[in-house]
Amino acid sequence: MYQRFLEIWRSLLVRNSFVQNSAWMFASSGISILIQFVFFYILSRIYSPEVYGLFAIFNFYIGIVGNAVSLGYNQAFVLPKKEREFSGLLRLTIWITLLTSSIFFLISLLFGKSLMHFFGHDALGNWVYWIAPVSLLMGLDRITTDWAIRNKEFRGQTLWSTTTTLGAKIFNTFYGMKISPTAAGLVFTTGLQYLSRMIAFCVFILKDFKVQFALRFSIAELKSVARNYKEFPLYIYWGNLINILSNNLPAALLTPLGYTLGEVGYYSYSLIVLDLPIRLLGAGVSSVYMQKAADLAQHRMEDLVKQTWRLYKNMVFVCLLFSVVIIAAGEPLYLLLLENEWAEAGRVAEVLIIFYFFRMISSPLSSLFSILRKENQFFIFQIALTIVRILSMIIGAWCGLNFLELMWAYSLANALMYFIFCVWIFRLIHYPMMKLIVFTLVTSLPAFALAYLIKFVLLK
């Protein structure tokens, strides 16, 4: 252990090493999570479950449109070897984002309320007209973030991401307390955070910002770039779009299936805690792993396999610790931090953590589909996952399950799919699948059993 500590410490001191870059991203996510936790306590006393339910529906559409506007080209920023090619890809992505956002805004003006009525989301009201503008800000924010990742500006990302997050939360609190505790404060805060972070990145982090926009490209060059990375709009774009859609399905389907807006709010607030490790481990590891894996895949495939297996084992142990805590003490944690009306959100978190465990351990490794140019397989998985999620909710509602029982059906169906996904990922790099299966089950099942023993025997 001492030798391992020395190895990590030496790597931490090496500029732009995997460990140092991960540490910066961990720091950014950790500070953001601390900010989230502080305001998690404050905002629950300002905004009601019904308000968060309405905002969850709005976020469902923002997630879809905001990730759709760039057609997925921004996710290819780490791949170009020549700067001229990257510059063309950047220019192409920005133009596509502006064009598609304008199209979505026109559609919302003409058919927005009719579409909301068709999907059973009439409660959204005039907020439908804000979907396209906030989605544009989200798309531009993603472009600058992926641009900074390519430039390995992890330190700058840490500083400005946490600063803008804190500023947005303060605005959210002020709006709810002094103006109105309605969905307006949540919507405006979301747009403000995307806008402020994008501006901060462009001014303080992206040193080549002016140089990039001074370059000129012909239509033929942009078409050539679009063809070179066509897998992203053809597969990654649709795969991620389906992923966003399926990840937010409960928020979209609960009210049409007969459940209340308050129950949508409970589901939404349960994710605030469950998403914390995904944000910490995802932002701290995924970005750095993707950049590192892209290099290893080109020259040292054996090292990529070792790096991936080492990361997976670490993810399993870390995520199990978090999962055991949530299973054993989810509801008491919510009761301790929040008021009694949010206890149901804690019970939902105890149920959903089963599937979130498998989602967490697979999340950083999913970039292998892009790095190994297996985008079509990722697309197939996303379609299968979405179908399973929809069926689990529709069948559960048809069987007359109450809200918490429906969450159990949804969680177990997702857990099975994400376990299959983990096996699928390691199949890409030709790692022994049986070793992976045995390791995952032998470590996770006893831990879950221990967590439920603590919950039902020791804490009752």
Side-chain angles (χ1 to χ4, degrees):
M1 291 178 64
Y2 177 70
Q3 292 298 325
R4 179 61 178 163
F5 172 78
L6 288 180
E7 180 184 341
I8 294 174
W9 178 253
R10 293 191 203 99
S11 299
L12 188 63
L13 298 178
V14 177
R15 182 175 177 80
N16 280 331
S17 68
F18 180 86
V19 174
Q20 188 185 78
N21 290 337
S22 294
W24 280 117
M25 297 303 285
F26 267 120
S28 175
S29 298
I31 296 172
S32 295
I33 285 172
L34 179 61
I35 294 171
Q36 181 94 7
F37 239 96
V38 171
F39 285 92
F40 173 65
Y41 174 83
I42 297 172
L43 295 176
S44 66
R45 285 157 171 76
I46 300 174
Y47 299 96
S48 68
E50 289 75 20
V51 169
Y52 269 100
L54 181 61
F55 179 64
I57 295 174
F58 179 82
N59 247 355
F60 168 75
Y61 290 103
I62 291 298
I64 293 176
V65 179
N67 283 276
V69 291
S70 65
L71 300 186
Y73 276 115
N74 58 298
Q75 296 178 66
F77 283 0
V78 298
L79 298 181
K81 299 180 180 64
K82 298 180 180 178
E83 281 303 310
R84 176 75 181 180
E85 185 178 15
F86 165 70
S87 300
L89 181 61
L90 173 65
R91 190 68 54 86
L92 174 71
T93 307
I94 292 174
W95 279 116
I96 288 175
T97 300
L98 294 173
L99 177 61
T100 52
S101 297
S102 301
I103 294 173
F104 279 118
F105 184 63
L106 180 61
I107 292 173
S108 67
L109 288 177
L110 297 176
F111 311 108
K113 290 196 172 181
S114 299
L115 289 172
M116 293 305 101
H117 178 73
F118 176 79
F119 290 115
H121 295 148
D122 294 290
L124 207 56
N126 291 331
W127 290 116
V128 66
Y129 304 125
W130 286 82
I131 292 175
V134 177
S135 297
L136 172 61
L137 295 177
M138 180 181 177
L140 295 175
D141 173 67
R142 292 291 175 86
I143 290 173
T144 54
T145 299
D146 289 334
W147 186 353
I149 290 172
R150 175 182 172 83
N151 291 354
K152 300 182 180 180
E153 295 287 351
F154 300 105
R155 182 178 180 179
Q157 282 184 268
T158 299
L159 173 64
W160 289 107
S161 290
T162 53
T163 301
T164 53
T165 298
L166 177 60
K169 291 298 182 183
I170 293 174
F171 172 83
N172 198 355
T173 303
F174 175 82
Y175 192 98
M177 294 179 63
K178 300 297 183 181
I179 302 177
S180 175
T182 60
L186 302 175
V187 173
F188 293 155
T189 298
T190 302
L192 177 65
Q193 184 170 354
Y194 290 140
L195 177 63
S196 58
R197 184 164 56 196
M198 176 186 65
I199 294 174
F201 276 34
C202 292
V203 174
F204 299 106
I205 297 180
L206 301 172
K207 300 178 180 64
D208 56 340
F209 179 79
K210 293 182 180 180
V211 175
Q212 292 289 353
F213 288 97
L215 299 174
R216 296 290 179 266
F217 294 90
S218 65
I219 300 297
E221 283 182 288
L222 295 181
K223 286 183 177 179
S224 176
V225 170
R227 286 193 298 268
N228 290 341
Y229 298 95
K230 63 182 180 180
E231 292 87 355
F232 285 83
L234 289 177
Y235 300 113
I236 296 297
Y237 165 75
W238 291 105
N240 283 336
L241 198 61
I242 293 172
N243 184 37
I244 296 296
L245 171 67
S246 60
N247 282 339
N248 292 278
L249 270 175
L253 289 180
L254 281 171
T255 50
L257 290 175
Y259 298 89
T260 67
L261 204 58
E263 288 170 331
V264 179
Y266 293 136
Y267 166 78
S268 174
Y269 228 66
S270 73
L271 300 188
I272 292 179
V273 170
L274 297 181
D275 280 337
L276 293 182
I278 287 187
R279 289 174 53 197
L280 177 62
L281 299 171
V285 177
S286 295
S287 302
V288 182
Y289 172 76
M290 182 176 183
Q291 194 276 330
K292 181 73 174 179
D295 291 339
L296 293 177
Q298 296 177 18
H299 308 293
R300 304 188 302 276
M301 195 63 186
E302 291 183 0
D303 290 342
L304 173 62
V305 176
K306 294 177 182 178
Q307 181 83 41
T308 304
W309 177 239
R310 187 183 305 118
L311 175 59
Y312 181 80
K313 290 191 296 183
N314 292 337
M315 290 290 293
V316 167
F317 287 117
V318 172
C319 294
L320 271 178
L321 178 62
F322 175 77
S323 301
V324 167
V325 172
I326 294 299
I327 291 173
E331 182 181 356
L333 177 65
Y334 272 75
L335 285 173
L336 176 66
L337 297 176
L338 311 178
E339 296 179 342
N340 289 336
E341 66 172 333
W342 290 103
E344 184 73 2
R347 288 189 284 271
V348 174
E350 292 175 355
V351 171
L352 293 181
I353 190 60
I354 301 295
F355 114 68
Y356 258 76
F357 165 74
F358 291 98
R359 182 182 173 188
M360 286 187 289
I361 62 177
S362 66
S363 179
L365 308 180
S366 60
S367 59
L368 281 175
F369 286 94
S370 299
I371 293 168
L372 300 178
R373 310 312 293 263
K374 301 292 184 180
E375 296 90 349
N376 58 333
Q377 295 187 27
F378 182 75
F379 180 58
I380 293 171
F381 172 77
Q382 293 301 333
I383 292 176
L385 178 63
T386 303
I387 293 173
V388 169
R389 284 175 164 173
I390 292 174
L391 289 176
S392 68
M393 294 198 67
I394 292 178
I395 295 174
W398 180 74
C399 292
L401 300 182
N402 63 35
F403 173 60
L404 201 59
E405 292 169 342
L406 183 71
M407 291 295 97
W408 267 113
Y410 181 76
S411 181
L412 294 177
N414 275 272
L416 175 62
M417 291 301 295
Y418 272 102
F419 180 55
I420 294 173
F421 187 55
C422 292
V423 177
W424 198 333
I425 289 173
F426 278 88
R427 183 177 177 273
L428 292 176
I429 56 176
H430 306 291
Y431 191 85
M433 289 184 289
M434 187 55 63
K435 183 178 179 180
L436 171 78
I437 293 171
V438 171
F439 169 79
T440 306
L441 294 181
V442 166
T443 52
S444 62
L445 293 183
F448 290 145
L450 175 63
Y452 281 108
L453 177 66
I454 296 172
K455 178 178 178 60
F456 291 111
V457 177
L458 302 182
L459 297 182
K460 292 299 182 180

